[in-house]
Amino acid sequence: MAQYTQAQLLHELEPAVAKELDRHIAVAKEWMPHEYIPWTEGSNFDGPFGGQAWDVSQSKVSETARTALVVNLLTEDNLPSYHREIYQSFGPDGAWGTWIGRWTAEEGRHGIAIRDYLLTTRAVDPVALERERMIHMTQGFESSYELDMLHTVAYVSFQELATRISHRNTGKFTEDPFCEQLLARISVDENLHMVFYRNLLAQALELAPDQTIQAVWDVVEGFQMPGSTIEGFTRRSLQIALAGIYDLRIHRDEVLNPVLKFWKLFDIEGLSAEGEQARDKLATFMDALDKKAARFEDKREMIKARQASQA
């Protein structure tokens, strides 16, 4: 089966991008970040205005919730790097370029709103947060793959859904209705972005099934959340996983599996030997991930039981 060049793929899929862009604009509802912030809870911090210094006793959310909120916000903060990555993958022309602008503008609301909530409610240490933002954004984000369109679309199809779930579960975990409402609204954006990319990749599978399945396999095998370069991410992600906000089970059953099922990837016929091999690897990986998730769940239950006995 003939291999498409990047230029050919971008050209052939342009009508699909235009169609998905029109659909997205038709269903996306305008919302105002400032309307989701409880401004009346705010007060001056120490500094030029002589306010009160932050103290952990001022936070209404738990330590684990603070961890998840900071990771979520720092991930959103790296938007300039994500914009650069998709710009280099898709290019500025036609519907591709229009989508990049729209996506970036919508994503930009998320970091603004989460930061406003965190500072207004004094949920986290503002000094530590700003110092971490400086470090994380200076490092930036770089894709693990060559900046080709298929790998990028495959990655964001999963990543947008993972981010939606992470935000939604974090909001619930805080037990703060203001936070839950805000992150639920942000999750709506993330879901629409996922649908755009997921539908686009479905078209790529019809056009170039072997190349697309290879890209999907590469992405699934080496998937890392965009916030994985945050300092202490391994420790923090374990804390988040132990709380059930985002763990291997969620990643497999609520992120990877539904997207793969939507693509009907295991039903495609007429693949080349390389395409069949990539699909076989994917099936084996999903089975192994299921077992790995079960082991983590058992470990988490043991930890909870031990903590309960010590309480």
Side-chain angles (χ1 to χ4, degrees):
M1 192 173 291
Q3 291 279 305
Y4 286 85
T5 66
Q6 284 300 299
Q8 288 171 331
L9 286 167
L10 290 168
H11 174 73
E12 292 293 332
L13 289 170
E14 172 101 19
V17 176
K19 177 183 177 182
E20 288 303 316
L21 177 60
D22 288 344
R23 183 202 55 77
H24 177 85
I25 292 172
V27 299
K29 291 182 172 60
E30 182 183 55
W31 65 281
M32 300 299 162
H34 69 273
E35 295 177 351
Y36 287 80
I37 309 302
W39 299 107
T40 54
E41 293 195 6
S43 61
N44 290 344
F45 287 97
D46 58 327
F49 298 147
Q52 183 182 11
W54 184 83
D55 183 86
V56 69
S57 64
Q58 298 163 6
S59 178
K60 297 178 182 177
V61 300
S62 68
E63 178 189 355
T64 298
R66 289 195 294 273
T67 296
L69 286 165
V70 168
V71 167
N72 285 6
L73 176 54
L74 292 177
T75 299
E76 296 287 357
D77 276 334
N78 246 344
L79 178 61
S81 289
Y82 311 147
H83 174 91
R84 183 189 66 237
E85 295 279 306
I86 65 169
Y87 181 90
Q88 291 176 329
S89 296
F90 301 163
D93 299 326
W96 290 100
T98 303
W99 167 252
I100 292 171
R102 175 76 186 210
W103 174 84
T104 303
E106 291 183 357
E107 287 286 344
R109 296 185 291 215
H110 303 168
I112 292 169
I114 296 172
R115 178 171 282 101
D116 285 346
Y117 162 78
L118 295 180
L119 297 183
T120 300
T121 63
R122 293 181 175 250
V124 304
D125 183 343
V127 174
L129 179 64
E130 175 61 10
R131 288 171 177 165
E132 286 208 86
R133 186 191 69 84
M134 289 293 294
I135 293 171
H136 188 53
M137 288 191 70
T138 300
Q139 290 174 336
F141 173 82
E142 186 173 350
S143 173
S144 302
Y145 323 101
E146 293 183 17
L147 287 175
D148 67 281
M149 183 271 293
L150 288 178
H151 281 84
T152 299
V153 175
Y155 176 76
V156 290
S157 295
F158 297 117
Q159 177 266 316
E160 293 282 4
L161 181 53
T163 303
R164 184 201 92 182
I165 292 170
S166 178
H167 281 320
R168 192 74 182 88
N169 289 348
T170 296
K172 292 178 181 178
F173 190 83
T174 65
E175 297 183 340
D176 178 354
F178 293 123
C179 186
E180 183 170 359
Q181 189 173 20
L182 169 62
L183 292 185
R185 187 59 192 78
I186 289 173
S187 296
V188 174
D189 278 0
E190 303 290 8
N191 194 64
L192 289 177
H193 297 163
M194 179 275 292
V195 170
F196 178 95
Y197 292 121
R198 182 199 65 186
N199 291 356
L200 180 57
L201 197 91
Q203 293 298 307
L205 276 167
E206 290 188 14
L207 176 68
D210 288 301
Q211 285 176 262
T212 305
I213 286 177
Q214 293 265 15
V216 169
W217 160 241
D218 290 342
V219 166
V220 170
E221 180 193 27
F223 185 87
Q224 292 284 340
M225 291 291 277
S228 60
T229 57
I230 294 171
E231 188 175 354
F233 181 78
T234 300
R235 170 181 51 80
R236 288 168 163 177
S237 61
L238 177 59
Q239 187 178 5
I240 290 167
L242 288 172
I245 295 171
Y246 194 92
D247 57 21
L248 279 178
R249 176 60 63 199
I250 291 172
H251 182 65
R252 183 197 180 278
D253 292 359
E254 299 181 34
V255 177
L256 298 181
N257 209 38
V259 175
L260 293 174
K261 281 187 174 181
F262 178 86
W263 289 331
K264 298 180 180 177
L265 192 142
F266 295 104
D267 299 328
I268 297 173
E269 298 180 351
L271 294 174
S272 68
E274 291 79 8
E276 289 283 9
Q277 184 180 40
R279 185 163 63 178
D280 289 344
K281 288 180 181 177
L282 189 56
T284 301
F285 179 88
M286 292 294 288
D287 288 342
L289 195 59
D290 184 39
K291 295 181 177 65
K292 193 173 181 180
R295 288 196 297 271
F296 178 80
E297 289 170 324
D298 290 342
K299 179 181 178 182
R300 180 167 58 198
E301 289 306 311
M302 289 174 61
I303 292 172
K304 287 182 178 179
R306 184 168 64 245
Q307 290 174 340
S309 67
Q310 294 173 349

